[in-house]
Amino acid sequence: MSEKKQIQVPVMADLASRGETPEVLFWVGCAGAFDDRYKNVTRAFVRILEHVGTKYAVLGMEETCTGDPAKRAGNEFLFQMQAMTNIATLDGYGIKTIVTACPHCFNTIKNEYPALGGNYEVIHHSTFLQNLINEGKVKIAGGGEFKGKRITFHDSCYLGRANNIYEAPREVLAALDADLVEMKRSRANGLCCGAGGAQMWKEPEPGNKDINVERAEEAIGTGATIIASACPFCMTMMADGVKSQNKEDSVQVFDIAELIAQAEGINA
Amino acid sequence: MISNIAFLIVAVLGIGLFVWQIRKIVRNINMGRDKEISGNVSERIKLLLLVAFGQQKMFKRPLPAVLHLFVYVGFIVINVEVIEILIDGIFGTHRVLGVLGPVYSVLMAINEVLALLVIIACVIFLARRTLTKVPRLTRGSEMRAWPKLDANVILITEIVLMFALFAFNIADQKLAQLSGHDLPGVFPVSGPLMNVFGSDVNTLQVIAGVGWWAHILGILAFMNYLPSSKHFHIITSFPNVYYTKLEPKGQFSNVESITHEIKAMLDPAYVVPPAPEGADPQKFGAKDVEDLTWKQLLDSYTCTECGRCTSVCPANITGKLLSPRKIVMDTRDRMEEKGESPLIFNPAHYNEESERVKVTEERTLLRGYVTPEELWACTTCNACVESCPVNINQLSTIIDLRRYLVLEESAAPTSLNTMFNNIENNGAPWAFSPSDRFNWADDLFVVSKN
Ligand code: SF4
Ligand code: SF4
């Protein structure tokens, strides 16, 4: 029997006051918390966590920006202020393991916080989902509704080249039993969506074309009807790129967590 | 013997001049900041074997990789013959390594085959540059007269050197045949051509002499040309690859002086460790070459100007001013302007200003060579770093220059300043209220199965 169940997302402060500790802290990230489109990804991931019964918590209003855009833009001072604040919060709760859907948060906490005293095991949600699938906790019997659909995966620079995670998101997609196609520029040779390095917050410099348009053209060129992403910035940029080509009716952009939640039939 | 003495003088002068140039380059690199890069010896050696000796990253593009491999292996193997030439030249011996017998025969045979392959490869390379004009090798504001000329000079020199080698081998064999003695070695390429110069002993002796001298003089000249050329990478790529950044590419360097400052702000009891004696107060980020680390400077002496980085750069692909190769080449140009020029061939074209990149009068790396517009176009995607066959880290220089713009000059684009303010005030790069941060969790349902 399946029924709708309301989720009360566990907040770290409450858990701590009850003396409980979660298995993992879900780091939502600013895009995950504020971007209207990307909030769906956050919710999809929480549904998966609930579905498989992982003991998790979020920081809720105590979370703040990791400082990634400040650091990439050269504002090391602001970055370190953010980092130290976050490290104080995380250490205050004795957090050991963090999962996040944002490659930028992932990269920053995993690679750049240790120099400032923050040491955690940090997992990107693609790896986390891959593990759930490998352990049989997420089954997607018969491949679900994406079976046979043509899907192309757009590598996020901060997941791929920056941290060598190329296969996890692809293995997650493989569970959908879809028709996966690769763009010519993929994996280590993938083309940036154009938003990294704080580009998300500024107009591009003058040129012939916007980077996301170039990339969206390439993705559309594969004949895929779904562009799968694993990064909030990539999602925005690819969706905008698709729109610029007037293809938003035939090509959709989804995060891998959304695809899994949808295929598993747990979206309410 | 006069010729032995002449040879010795030429060789000593050539090598001495080379050492003198190298010392200048070492001094230039030492202008950079100190940075300890150590540990992980086995990992570094593995990289050295794969990337530098094994040319691993070249094979992302198979055709140039194979051609480059010919030239590279040819270069190494032909050095065996250079050793022989040196010994023969100094002691007046003739094909001294001939005592190796069958080993020598195999060596000479391989040598000749490789020499032929080198000629073929260089001719194709020349054609690619001058006839088909491969965009990454010819286009871009940094590809001015000198870098283009430089590449062609080297290719033509190599072809000439190989021809000199063949001429020497042909004449030497014919002379041996005419005098009726045995020449050690097997010569698959020049053997069949033994008769092309006729059988006049005097002519043959002149050709053998000229071929031999041309080869050794050519090599000495080539060696002394290297420091002025992108071909210096045949030396620097080895240390450069050895000192590759081993941390994940997404991990940007930590500015420790800022860490101390912030810790002192947060905790008044925190004691900032004293700066080392006599150290200059450090600026944040990099404005000029001395603010970069020695590794970043070594990077720029290693650049082969191959343009692989620029050809995969998303900003460059979409027509923005940014070219990671230009940043690396600018660093080298500025370093030699500020430090010492090792150049014997000091090409005036080097400082020619390019069309689109408008620099200021201020002669520093930042603004004098690299404009903020270039820097702000970078998405920090690491495609350049990934693509570079000699493991140059273009991005680290870009970030250090950005840091200077932001931390010392507060010269970020307005929209980025807005983003900074948002992070400071709202804890998010967008102007949202922190109290709304958890709204996504309102009325959230899941379909619970069984
Ligand atoms: S990191 Fe910057 S310079 Fe390098 S390829 Fe990406 S956008 Fe271009
Ligand atoms: S930095 Fe590397 S990839 Fe770029 S031109 Fe130089 S050698 Fe080639």
Side-chain angles (χ1 to χ4, degrees):
Chain A
M1 285 309 295
S2 64
E3 60 189 59
K4 264 179 157 189
K5 186 186 91 180
Q6 181 151 22
I7 305 172
Q8 291 303 329
V9 178
V11 179
M12 199 51 233
D14 299 340
L15 255 70
S17 69
R18 296 198 298 268
E20 294 173 32
T21 43
E23 281 167 54
V24 291
L25 180 90
F26 172 31
W27 184 274
V28 176
C30 300
F34 291 120
D35 182 283
D36 278 335
R37 171 68 185 88
Y38 203 71
K39 281 189 223 170
N40 276 333
V41 179
T42 308
R43 289 190 278 254
F45 190 63
V46 163
R47 288 189 180 106
I48 295 170
L49 290 171
E50 292 279 341
H51 175 57
V52 299
T54 305
K55 199 156 184 264
Y56 73 102
V58 297
L59 286 175
M61 296 212 270
E62 277 187 285
E63 197 185 285
T64 76
C65 177
T66 58
D68 158 82
K71 178 142 185 144
R72 312 301 131 191
N75 196 337
E76 183 72 10
F77 202 89
L78 178 56
F79 162 72
Q80 291 200 13
M81 285 298 286
Q82 289 300 119
M84 301 240 197
T85 313
N86 286 323
I87 291 169
T89 311
L90 292 166
D91 286 352
Y93 289 125
I95 302 294
K96 300 269 181 302
T97 311
I98 298 172
V99 62
T100 179
C102 175
H104 293 264
C105 298
F106 167 74
N107 176 69
T108 304
I109 303 176
K110 175 171 175 284
N111 297 322
E112 289 167 356
Y113 279 20
L116 303 169
N119 293 291
Y120 318 98
E121 185 196 357
V122 192
I123 310 167
H124 185 253
H125 81 326
S126 56
T127 310
F128 192 86
L129 292 172
Q130 183 198 3
N131 289 342
L132 292 180
I133 292 167
N134 291 350
E135 290 162 11
K137 290 189 181 158
V138 170
K139 292 189 194 71
I140 319 183
E145 62 189 86
F146 300 105
K147 191 175 164 113
K149 284 242 171 86
R150 190 167 260 235
I151 301 181
T152 190
F153 176 69
H154 162 76
D155 284 282
S156 149
C157 305
Y158 274 83
L159 204 55
R161 276 188 296 269
N163 287 292
N164 280 317
I165 299 180
Y166 300 110
E167 299 314 321
R170 288 179 167 80
E171 285 189 28
V172 170
L173 291 172
L176 300 173
D177 216 0
D179 172 20
L180 290 184
V181 281
E182 291 289 347
M183 289 182 255
K184 193 158 164 264
R185 289 174 284 200
S186 66
R187 293 193 169 85
N189 302 322
L191 185 78
C192 177
C193 69
Q199 299 293 335
M200 189 77 191
W201 291 273
K202 59 183 262 302
E203 285 302 312
E205 325 317 303
N208 313 324
K209 204 192 228 184
D210 286 346
I211 295 171
N212 63 329
V213 173
E214 168 88 11
R215 186 56 164 170
E217 283 172 359
E218 188 176 5
I220 295 167
T222 62
T225 54
I226 293 173
I227 301 171
S229 66
C231 168
F233 301 164
C234 295
M235 169 170 269
T236 306
M237 297 307 266
M238 294 308 280
D240 287 353
V242 168
K243 223 174 276 165
S244 77
Q245 304 298 299
N246 296 317
K247 288 281 197 247
E248 65 268 37
D249 295 332
S250 50
V251 181
Q252 288 172 292
V253 184
F254 287 114
D255 187 272
I256 56 172
E258 292 177 306
L259 294 172
I260 293 297
Q262 184 70 25
E264 186 74 346
I266 53 176
N267 269 349
Chain B
M1 278 278 283
I2 305 234
S3 75
N4 297 9
I5 295 170
F7 176 86
L8 205 62
I9 293 175
V10 169
V12 167
L13 280 180
I15 293 167
L17 186 58
F18 181 68
V19 172
W20 178 71
Q21 295 194 72
I22 295 296
R23 286 192 42 188
K24 288 187 171 188
I25 287 180
V26 170
R27 278 199 288 251
N28 282 350
I29 292 175
N30 279 331
M31 263 195 297
R33 286 185 185 176
D34 288 341
K35 183 184 185 205
E36 166 111 4
I37 306 179
S38 58
N40 300 299
V41 175
S42 60
E43 203 180 338
R44 292 181 188 283
I45 289 177
K46 205 175 119 202
L47 269 179
L48 189 66
L49 292 176
L50 280 175
V51 177
F53 286 100
Q55 315 267 293
Q56 186 191 40
K57 289 173 98 181
M58 287 295 289
F59 279 88
K60 285 194 161 191
R61 303 188 193 221
L63 174 74
V66 170
L67 297 176
H68 183 268
L69 193 71
F70 290 159
V71 179
Y72 162 66
V73 177
F75 171 77
I76 291 176
V77 174
I78 288 166
N79 272 330
V80 177
E81 185 147 356
V82 174
I83 294 171
E84 179 176 60
I85 288 181
L86 281 175
I87 301 174
D88 283 353
I90 296 169
F91 299 106
T93 48
H94 182 239
R95 294 205 182 257
V96 69
L97 296 183
V99 298
L100 298 175
V103 178
Y104 187 74
S105 298
V106 173
L107 268 177
M108 286 301 114
I110 295 177
N111 245 347
E112 285 220 324
V113 172
L114 279 169
L116 184 65
L117 290 174
V118 169
I119 293 177
I120 295 172
C122 289
V123 168
I124 298 178
F125 279 146
L126 270 176
R128 269 162 39 100
R129 281 177 184 271
T130 50
L131 302 177
T132 57
K133 296 209 191 299
V134 174
R136 75 180 156 88
L137 301 175
T138 48
R139 243 181 269 150
S141 64
E142 67 275 26
M143 294 317 278
R144 293 170 288 220
W146 168 242
K148 286 189 197 167
L149 179 67
D150 177 30
N152 292 341
V153 164
I154 286 285
L155 289 170
I156 292 167
T157 308
E158 286 185 36
I159 294 172
V160 170
L161 283 179
M162 295 305 115
F163 273 113
L165 186 72
F166 282 131
F168 168 64
N169 280 349
I170 289 171
D172 210 19
Q173 284 170 82
K174 189 67 190 174
L175 282 169
Q177 191 196 47
L178 290 175
S179 67
H181 71 252
D182 257 358
L183 193 68
V186 171
F187 303 92
V189 179
S190 62
L193 299 171
M194 206 158 87
N195 295 316
V196 293
F197 298 134
S199 36
D200 178 61
V201 175
N202 283 336
T203 318
L204 286 170
Q205 272 171 344
V206 169
I207 292 174
V210 169
W212 191 88
W213 275 98
H215 198 72
I216 189 63
L217 287 178
I219 284 173
L220 289 173
F222 179 85
M223 194 167 87
N224 279 292
Y225 177 76
L226 285 181
S228 315
S229 162
K230 77 195 191 83
H231 283 79
F232 200 51
H233 78 267
I234 65 174
I235 296 169
T236 40
S237 50
F238 299 95
N240 204 61
V241 168
Y242 183 83
Y243 290 112
T244 299
K245 169 186 167 195
L246 299 176
E247 294 88 30
K249 290 195 183 67
Q251 179 179 336
F252 290 11
S253 64
N254 183 52
V255 183
E256 233 170 283
S257 50
I258 292 183
T259 313
H260 295 312
E261 229 173 283
I262 294 180
K263 283 193 176 154
M265 260 171 58
L266 296 176
D267 171 13
Y270 182 78
V271 187
V272 179
E277 241 4 85
D280 290 335
Q282 266 195 1
K283 332 184 198 12
F284 295 125
K287 180 185 197 187
D288 212 342
V289 282
E290 71 270 13
D291 308 323
L292 295 170
T293 67
W294 62 267
K295 173 61 170 69
Q296 288 164 319
L297 300 183
L298 177 64
D299 272 354
S300 74
Y301 268 122
T302 311
C303 179
T304 73
E305 300 170 12
C306 68
R308 285 162 191 252
C309 52
T310 294
S311 74
V312 295
C313 171
N316 193 275
I317 288 172
T318 55
K320 281 124 192 130
L321 222 45
L322 172 63
S323 160
R325 170 176 57 190
K326 178 176 175 291
I327 310 268
V328 176
M329 289 170 67
D330 284 345
T331 305
R332 177 172 165 154
D333 289 1
R334 170 59 186 157
M335 186 170 38
E336 300 200 329
E337 179 183 67
K338 178 145 206 193
E340 302 180 86
S341 174
L343 312 186
I344 300 180
F345 311 88
N346 196 348
H349 322 283
Y350 225 39
N351 292 327
E352 228 176 76
E353 263 175 35
S354 46
E355 275 167 44
R356 276 187 68 205
V357 186
K358 288 283 165 276
V359 297
T360 60
E361 283 304 300
E362 205 186 339
R363 296 313 286 178
T364 49
L365 179 61
L366 179 64
R367 297 188 201 282
Y369 286 79
V370 182
T371 59
E373 182 182 335
E374 293 162 70
L375 297 172
W376 290 118
C378 175
T379 72
T380 70
C381 73
N382 265 305
C384 50
V385 180
E386 178 75 36
S387 73
C388 181
V390 289
N391 283 5
I392 286 169
N393 195 326
Q394 306 87 338
L395 181 52
S396 72
T397 302
I398 293 175
I399 288 301
D400 282 341
L401 292 168
R402 272 193 186 179
R403 282 178 180 163
Y404 186 86
L405 282 174
V406 172
L407 298 170
E408 297 279 348
E409 294 187 344
S410 303
T414 323
S415 49
L416 288 187
N417 282 329
T418 309
M419 180 263 285
F420 296 152
N421 285 333
N422 285 334
I423 293 182
E424 245 181 278
N425 300 327
N426 312 325
W430 293 284
F432 290 113
S433 161
S435 58
D436 292 338
R437 190 175 267 278
F438 199 32
N439 289 357
W440 60 267
D442 294 347
D443 303 322
L444 174 55
F445 292 88
V446 63
V447 174
S448 75
K449 294 178 161 180
N450 51 61

